[in-house]
């Protein structure tokens, strides 16, 4: 009887502990609280009232690598902004040829309005332009972006519209995109060969225009494992009364 009571109490405690655990696959701040989970140059990056910005062309990086995730954020441009969200980075010191960049740009500015499609906002830089142009709002207004990464598949939603979708396995060349356009020479690694796990970063003030970020968060897209079921030792089945009652010896 004492053995049964011990097993029952253990199961009850285990169930309680499960209930106290935070729900899996929930959103969390990408860089932790007060940038506690970020690698960055404090002379370049700062966060005030939840708004993150940079004064130099330095990237800010996560302290851990991610794969199979959704990244959600808001950004605001300045006239002429040129920045980006960096994923799948395997070398933060030499990130440009060893990562994937989702472009952030002020498409209302003459330079970017006349740029190549794969240089505009929402593009997967150097490789695939957005399906629709000028989805980004005018400078000074907040934009919402969600990036979903599942292995070699990447999708980008901006301001409620799916602006890009890529299967990296189709990019087998480091010089030419599947549509025949030329890949910039500084991006020689075929996307089909890039790892799909890496650090995540935000590009800083690239050029003269500033960019601002807020509400930058991430969650896993891996399906949670089912919770283990309570098991009863063989030969010690519980009656309906015993399920809710602790029997003392």
């Amino acid at each position: 009887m004492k053995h049964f009571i011990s097993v029952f109490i253990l199961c009850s405690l285990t169930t309680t502990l499960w209930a106290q655990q935070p729900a899996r696959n929930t959103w969390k701040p990408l860089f932790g609280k007060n940038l506690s989970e970020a690698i960055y140059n404090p002379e370049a990056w700062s966060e005030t009232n939840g708004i993150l910005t940079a004064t130099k062309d330095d990237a800010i990086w996560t302290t851990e690598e991610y794969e199979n995730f959704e990244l959600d954020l808001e950004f605001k441009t300045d006239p002429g902004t040129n920045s980006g969200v960096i994923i799948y980075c395997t070398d933060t010191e030499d990130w440009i040829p060893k990562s994937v960049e989702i472009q952030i740009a002020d498409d209302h500015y003459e330079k970017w309005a006349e740029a190549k499609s794969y240089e505009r906002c929402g593009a997967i830089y150097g490789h695939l332009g957005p399906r629709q142009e000028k989805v980004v709002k005018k400078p000074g207004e907040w934009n919402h972006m969600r990036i979903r990464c599942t292995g070699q598949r990447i999708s980008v939603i901006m301001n409620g519209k799916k602006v890009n979708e890529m299967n990296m396995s189709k990019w087998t060349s480091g010089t030419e995109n599947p549509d025949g356009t030329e890949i910039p020479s500084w991006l020689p690694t075929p996307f089909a060969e890039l790892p799909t796990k890496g650090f995540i970063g935000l590009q800083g003030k690239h050029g003269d225009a500033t960019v601002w970020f807020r509400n930058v968060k991430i969650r896993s897209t891996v399906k949670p494992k089912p919770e283990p079921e309570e098991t009863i030792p063989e030969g010690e089945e519980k009656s309906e009364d015993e399920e809710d009652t602790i029997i003392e010896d």
Side-chain angles (χ1 to χ4, degrees):
M1 182 64 70
K2 288 183 178 179
H3 177 67
F4 166 73
I5 294 173
S6 298
V7 171
F8 180 74
I9 293 173
L10 179 61
C11 291
S12 299
L13 288 173
T14 302
T15 302
T16 301
L17 289 172
W18 286 340
Q20 292 175 346
Q21 295 299 314
R24 300 182 189 180
N25 293 9
T26 55
W27 294 103
K28 71 168 188 174
L30 180 66
F31 298 118
K33 185 177 181 181
N34 298 322
L35 305 183
S36 60
E37 298 174 27
I39 300 172
Y40 65 102
N41 178 0
E43 295 182 358
W45 286 91
S46 62
E47 186 177 47
T48 304
N49 297 324
I51 298 176
L52 185 62
T53 191
T55 57
K56 298 180 181 180
D57 188 11
D58 280 345
I60 182 171
W61 299 101
T62 56
T63 55
E64 62 179 290
E65 296 179 287
Y66 291 92
E67 63 180 337
N68 299 322
F69 59 86
E70 277 187 320
L71 180 63
D72 194 272
L73 58 91
E74 292 177 87
F75 69 90
K76 182 171 63 174
T77 64
D78 212 14
T81 287
N82 173 20
S83 186
V85 180
I86 309 156
I87 59 173
Y88 292 163
C89 178
T90 56
D91 184 350
T92 58
E93 297 296 324
D94 185 26
W95 65 266
I96 292 177
K98 299 174 183 177
S99 64
V100 175
E101 180 186 354
I102 290 82
Q103 174 79 331
I104 289 177
D106 171 22
D107 287 353
H108 302 276
Y109 193 71
E110 183 178 359
K111 177 180 178 179
W112 302 116
E114 297 177 355
K116 295 178 181 178
S117 178
Y118 61 53
E119 295 177 322
R120 295 176 184 158
C121 199
I124 297 179
Y125 186 82
H127 294 81
L128 186 62
R131 297 176 175 179
Q132 187 175 343
E133 298 179 2
K134 292 188 178 179
V135 175
V136 64
K137 298 178 183 179
K138 293 183 177 180
E141 299 182 56
W142 286 102
N143 299 270
H144 177 253
M145 178 179 282
R146 179 171 292 186
I147 302 167
R148 184 181 178 91
C149 299
T150 304
Q152 291 185 310
R153 293 185 177 273
I154 302 170
S155 65
V156 182
I157 297 173
M158 185 164 58
N159 295 329
K161 297 180 180 180
K162 181 178 282 190
V163 294
N164 219 325
E165 193 165 26
M166 170 186 272
N167 182 347
M168 292 168 60
S169 66
K170 296 181 179 180
W171 270 257
T172 56
S173 170
T175 58
E176 186 177 284
N177 291 307
D179 64 0
T181 57
E182 184 179 358
I183 296 174
S185 60
W186 55 89
L187 300 172
T189 306
F191 271 8
E193 299 176 10
L194 280 179
T196 56
K197 178 180 180 180
F199 298 98
I200 297 174
L202 302 176
Q203 191 176 17
K205 185 180 180 181
H206 185 48
D208 297 328
T210 305
V211 64
W212 296 266
F213 299 94
R214 70 181 182 185
N215 299 326
V216 186
K217 56 189 179 181
I218 193 169
R219 68 179 176 184
S220 171
T221 56
V222 177
K223 185 177 180 181
K225 295 180 181 179
E227 299 285 7
E229 296 181 358
E230 179 182 342
T231 58
I232 304 300
E234 186 177 352
E236 292 189 0
E237 296 180 358
K238 293 188 296 181
S239 67
E240 292 182 0
D241 292 336
E242 288 176 330
E243 288 181 356
D244 299 314
T245 305
I246 297 178
I247 301 176
E248 295 182 356
D249 201 9

